[in-house]
Amino acid sequence: MVRISIDAMGGDHGPAVTVAGLQNVVQRRSDVRFLIFGQQDVVAPVLDRFPKVAAVSDFVHCEIAVRMDDKPSQALRHGRWKSSMWKAIEAVKAGDADVCISAGNTGALMAMSKFCLRTMASIERPAIAAIWPTARSESIVLDVGATIGADAHQLIDFAILGSAMARALFQVERPTVGLLNVGVEEIKGQEDVREAGRLLREADLKTMDYRGYVEGDDIGKGTVDVVVTEGFSGNIALKTAEGTAKQIAEYLRAAMSRTWMARLGYVFARDAFQRLREKMDVRKINGGVFLGLNGIVVKSHGGTDDEGFAAAVELGYDMVRNRLIDKIRADIDLFHAKVPDVRVRAEPNGEQGQA
Amino acid sequence: MVRISIDAMGGDHGPAVTVAGLQNVVQRRSDVRFLIFGQQDVVAPVLDRFPKVAAVSDFVHCEIAVRMDDKPSQALRHGRWKSSMWKAIEAVKAGDADVCISAGNTGALMAMSKFCLRTMASIERPAIAAIWPTARSESIVLDVGATIGADAHQLIDFAILGSAMARALFQVERPTVGLLNVGVEEIKGQEDVREAGRLLREADLKTMDYRGYVEGDDIGKGTVDVVVTEGFSGNIALKTAEGTAKQIAEYLRAAMSRTWMARLGYVFARDAFQRLREKMDVRKINGGVFLGLNGIVVKSHGGTDDEGFAAAVELGYDMVRNRLIDKIRADIDLFHAKVPDVRVRAEPNGEQGQA
């Protein structure tokens, strides 16, 4: 049985989407239980409409719902201890749930997750990992926006976290890992990336196959299973790719509706376009995974629909089933056994955890 | 008359592409002269095949050609004073040419350009500006890889350089400008972006309409005319967008050739696909512009063909015709008149210029 805690209030549409999404999950998986947190007057009527969900769920009423535009500090001030978001995270800490899913706002969810779950021993900063569709299959890219900047050791942490996730999700024994970099050599300012590369190469871990630097266009090619970078450039890359995909879809739509010949062609090729649409369907790869904390939290897109929310829930399910947290702990130990004096640690969770 | 210096040896194919590209330019513009630098035994036979180019060109023999895989320091060591790349840049410095075009390697071209032309008064670092096709039209994104990292004042320099270029190319009087950022607020590490935003807002220049932060997906939307960021994330964004476009083109190709219905549809919609292909044709927007130096240098893609190289030459032509350098100088003065005590300057050209 996989026990999943749900912040039912998160997202642009709240329970109408989140609870409906759970219905899709129970239709596909028989071994799940949900712990649903939210405002009774909003969630209860929706649960009534989805008896199959209600049948495998416990519901906990929470007064407070974190708003999509709350700043992280506001959310912590008003929502700590009592909001549906907090309670859903806390269920993981308390051992009542194996993973937490929220479509609530990213900054608030990360701030609360850090505060509640804390970073794992020897991990300085959490990361948000995205699953990225590639020409070959899928890759993991992290950090896509948990924090800005990363030193060499934090980049190595991300490589360990990402490769453990790749092993949990992609059924590869030794995922390939690349450090995101720019092509021009001898450029100043990338000392941390270079140092991380050197240490990863030297460590030569059996849990990851470090392949050196990759560039922006390697992400879409699927050159490596795991692309490691700091959160600013990772977030820019993710959003830029989303924007480019939308832009091309618009070009295509405009081109195919311009003449009657093109429209006729569209009719014949309708199945092909449908396949393309499915291939580019961001709902299917919905879910940013918070890694490096003592528990798994999955962030669903706020604007997604029920199927997108279900994908985020199932992503969490898969990671529990494949024992992601155990894998990460083992990988951290392995790395530090190989590279013992890797750094003088700051006080764990100090600066970051109190944000 | 616009006088253009050409490094004929640059690029993956050398004069076969560069000189052929000039042929396309002379067919479209009557008021150009070329100053062509390269190895006589390689360039002369190609020039013989393009008499229209030869008729408006002076050719200067250079022993050395910078290789595509030379590191910047190697290129400077072996190619300074005597390579075709150096000589083409030097022609701008000497006033023999108005703009320099090379398809040679980016790192070497930037190192030589900085060394030879030096940065403009009060500009600390040069930037590479890319022209980015958007859903609306085109935008300018800089820096896409000249240097890594930028403090608040360097970001402001980039905003000034980019908005002057937008006025030169897009015929807008007050281009809109955005600072590239990530969506999550209250995140540590973006002090420089925030400070740059504050100063640009306060300066309220008549030469640019500062619109605040933009995110990665705003680039493709064309939310602003000029997107300002430091070189690492700018380069990642550019390459990621290129990779995504290729990936989708491959999806589309695979989908359209899978069934006979789809192939039939493709036949009917052939013109539409042709339009799409033209819209996504990177050759037409070929050319990274080095800004912030005492002279304009345009970097063509190394792997481009004659039409792509011609586009880079014509981009240089347009910027000369529209007096880009004068615009930049005036804009810098304007900004510093408004924000006089903006910084304590490092020794001009010191650290960067000696690279």
Side-chain angles (χ1 to χ4, degrees):
Chain A
M1 190 61 64
V2 176
R3 301 161 309 153
I4 303 175
S5 66
I6 304 289
D7 165 20
M9 307 304 291
D12 299 344
H13 314 289
V17 157
T18 56
V19 176
L22 298 182
Q23 171 90 345
N24 301 1
V25 177
V26 290
Q27 281 164 355
R28 294 191 286 247
R29 324 251 167 175
S30 57
D31 58 341
V32 287
R33 278 202 71 82
F34 302 119
L35 200 47
I36 300 178
F37 298 89
Q39 289 165 332
Q40 174 125 31
D41 55 338
V42 187
V43 178
V46 187
L47 266 177
D48 285 346
R49 284 178 22 227
F50 295 102
K52 280 186 188 160
V53 176
V56 297
S57 300
D58 294 304
F59 173 71
V60 180
H61 170 66
C62 309
E63 285 287 320
I64 308 283
V66 171
R67 283 190 307 259
M68 293 307 277
D69 58 354
D70 275 348
K71 292 186 177 176
S73 54
Q74 284 178 318
L76 271 178
R77 206 160 47 239
H78 299 127
R80 195 167 17 178
W81 323 126
K82 50 196 173 186
S83 64
S84 60
M85 186 185 275
W86 175 273
K87 287 284 195 183
I89 299 165
E90 203 180 33
V92 173
K93 188 185 184 186
D96 297 330
D98 303 306
V99 58
C100 164
I101 322 289
S102 174
N105 98 56
T106 310
L109 188 64
M110 179 50 91
M112 285 196 183
S113 299
K114 282 197 294 195
F115 196 96
C116 181
L117 296 172
R118 305 277 154 170
T119 53
M120 298 172 95
S122 101
I123 298 283
E124 278 175 19
R125 288 176 170 192
I128 304 177
I131 298 174
W132 193 297
T134 70
R136 289 179 50 206
S137 54
E138 287 175 339
S139 298
I140 290 166
V141 180
L142 77 168
D143 171 28
V144 296
T147 46
I148 285 179
D151 64 22
H153 296 299
Q154 288 157 351
L155 289 171
I156 290 171
D157 288 346
F158 295 169
I160 293 172
L161 295 169
S163 55
M165 181 168 155
R167 275 161 42 235
L169 283 186
F170 301 154
Q171 275 81 50
V172 286
E173 272 187 35
R174 197 165 181 247
T176 53
V177 174
L179 284 169
L180 194 60
N181 204 345
V182 297
V184 185
E185 292 198 39
E186 296 180 46
I187 206 167
K188 286 173 191 174
Q190 57 179 6
E191 289 74 16
D192 285 309
V193 178
R194 263 203 294 269
E195 172 74 357
R198 193 182 63 75
L199 286 168
L200 284 174
R201 198 176 295 284
E202 282 179 15
D204 188 28
L205 300 169
K206 68 167 195 255
T207 49
M208 73 171 90
D209 179 6
Y210 173 65
R211 293 285 181 91
Y213 301 148
V214 293
E215 296 191 49
D217 52 341
D218 286 304
I219 311 177
K221 282 184 201 161
T223 305
V224 289
D225 297 316
V226 182
V227 176
V228 173
T229 188
E230 57 80 36
F232 191 88
S233 51
N235 186 277
I236 298 294
L238 182 68
K239 295 264 177 77
T240 302
E242 286 172 357
T244 304
K246 266 190 210 157
Q247 182 184 350
I248 295 174
E250 268 173 46
Y251 285 171
L252 185 60
R253 204 172 300 123
M256 296 310 291
S257 60
R258 215 177 130 269
T259 63
W260 70 263
M261 286 274 279
R263 285 196 292 271
L264 184 63
Y266 178 82
V267 171
F268 279 105
R270 195 181 296 167
D271 286 353
F273 282 106
Q274 184 55 34
R275 279 178 64 85
L276 182 69
R277 213 170 290 127
E278 280 168 21
K279 194 98 188 174
M280 291 173 64
D281 186 353
V282 292
R283 295 178 312 165
K284 292 200 179 158
I285 49 145
N286 180 32
V289 182
F290 294 1
L291 295 178
L293 302 169
N294 291 300
I296 308 170
V297 176
V298 178
K299 160 74 174 89
S300 161
H301 248 290
T304 196
D305 63 8
D306 56 339
E307 192 50 40
F309 191 77
V313 174
E314 289 174 332
L315 176 60
Y317 173 98
D318 286 345
M319 288 188 296
V320 173
R321 269 276 164 261
N322 293 303
R323 312 187 68 78
L324 175 62
I325 292 281
D326 294 346
K327 282 189 168 68
I328 291 173
R329 291 217 167 97
D331 288 6
I332 292 172
D333 291 346
L334 180 73
F335 180 81
H336 291 286
K338 280 222 161 190
V339 187
D341 56 342
V342 66
R343 75 195 100 173
V344 181
R345 284 285 174 185
E347 190 63 21
N349 300 316
E351 191 195 352
Q352 289 297 323
Q354 307 301 333
Chain B
M1 191 61 65
V2 175
R3 301 160 308 152
I4 303 175
S5 66
I6 303 289
D7 166 20
M9 307 304 291
D12 300 342
H13 313 291
V17 157
T18 56
V19 176
L22 298 183
Q23 170 88 345
N24 302 2
V25 177
V26 289
Q27 282 163 355
R28 294 191 285 248
R29 323 250 168 176
S30 56
D31 59 341
V32 288
R33 278 202 70 83
F34 302 118
L35 201 47
I36 301 178
F37 298 88
Q39 289 164 335
Q40 175 126 30
D41 54 338
V42 188
V43 179
V46 187
L47 266 178
D48 285 345
R49 284 177 24 226
F50 295 102
K52 282 186 188 160
V53 176
V56 296
S57 300
D58 294 305
F59 174 70
V60 180
H61 169 68
C62 309
E63 284 285 322
I64 307 285
V66 171
R67 282 188 305 259
M68 293 306 277
D69 58 354
D70 275 347
K71 291 187 179 177
S73 54
Q74 283 178 319
L76 271 178
R77 207 159 47 239
H78 299 127
R80 192 167 20 178
W81 324 126
K82 48 195 174 188
S83 64
S84 61
M85 185 184 276
W86 176 273
K87 288 284 195 184
I89 299 164
E90 204 179 32
V92 173
K93 188 185 185 187
D96 298 330
D98 304 306
V99 58
C100 163
I101 322 288
S102 173
N105 99 55
T106 310
L109 187 64
M110 179 50 93
M112 285 195 183
S113 298
K114 282 198 294 194
F115 196 96
C116 181
L117 297 172
R118 304 278 155 170
T119 53
M120 298 173 95
S122 103
I123 298 283
E124 279 176 20
R125 287 177 172 191
I128 303 177
I131 298 175
W132 193 298
T134 71
R136 289 178 51 206
S137 53
E138 288 176 339
S139 298
I140 289 166
V141 181
L142 76 170
D143 171 27
V144 296
T147 46
I148 285 177
D151 64 23
H153 295 298
Q154 287 157 353
L155 289 171
I156 290 170
D157 287 346
F158 295 169
I160 293 171
L161 295 169
S163 55
M165 180 169 155
R167 273 158 47 234
L169 283 186
F170 301 155
Q171 274 80 49
V172 286
E173 274 187 32
R174 196 164 182 249
T176 52
V177 175
L179 284 168
L180 194 61
N181 204 344
V182 298
V184 185
E185 292 198 38
E186 297 181 44
I187 206 168
K188 287 173 192 176
Q190 58 178 7
E191 288 75 15
D192 286 308
V193 178
R194 263 201 295 269
E195 172 73 357
R198 192 182 63 74
L199 286 168
L200 284 174
R201 198 177 296 283
E202 281 179 17
D204 189 26
L205 300 169
K206 68 166 195 254
T207 50
M208 72 171 91
D209 179 6
Y210 173 65
R211 292 286 180 90
Y213 301 148
V214 294
E215 295 192 48
D217 52 340
D218 287 303
I219 311 177
K221 281 184 201 160
T223 305
V224 289
D225 297 316
V226 182
V227 176
V228 173
T229 188
E230 57 80 35
F232 190 89
S233 50
N235 186 278
I236 299 293
L238 182 69
K239 295 265 177 77
T240 301
E242 286 172 358
T244 304
K246 267 192 210 155
Q247 183 185 349
I248 295 173
E250 268 173 46
Y251 286 171
L252 185 60
R253 204 172 300 125
M256 296 309 292
S257 60
R258 215 176 132 268
T259 63
W260 70 264
M261 285 274 277
R263 284 195 294 269
L264 184 61
Y266 178 82
V267 171
F268 279 104
R270 197 181 294 167
D271 286 353
F273 283 107
Q274 184 55 33
R275 280 178 65 85
L276 183 69
R277 213 170 290 127
E278 280 167 21
K279 193 99 188 172
M280 289 173 67
D281 187 353
V282 292
R283 296 178 310 164
K284 292 198 180 161
I285 51 145
N286 181 31
V289 182
F290 294 2
L291 294 178
L293 303 170
N294 292 300
I296 309 170
V297 176
V298 179
K299 160 74 175 87
S300 161
H301 248 290
T304 196
D305 62 8
D306 56 341
E307 193 49 40
F309 191 76
V313 174
E314 289 175 330
L315 177 60
Y317 172 98
D318 286 345
M319 287 188 296
V320 173
R321 270 275 164 263
N322 293 303
R323 311 185 70 77
L324 176 62
I325 293 281
D326 293 346
K327 283 189 168 69
I328 291 174
R329 291 218 168 97
D331 287 7
I332 292 172
D333 291 346
L334 181 75
F335 180 81
H336 291 286
K338 280 222 160 190
V339 188
D341 57 343
V342 65
R343 74 195 98 174
V344 180
R345 283 284 174 189
E347 191 61 24
N349 300 313
E351 190 194 352
Q352 290 298 321
Q354 309 300 336

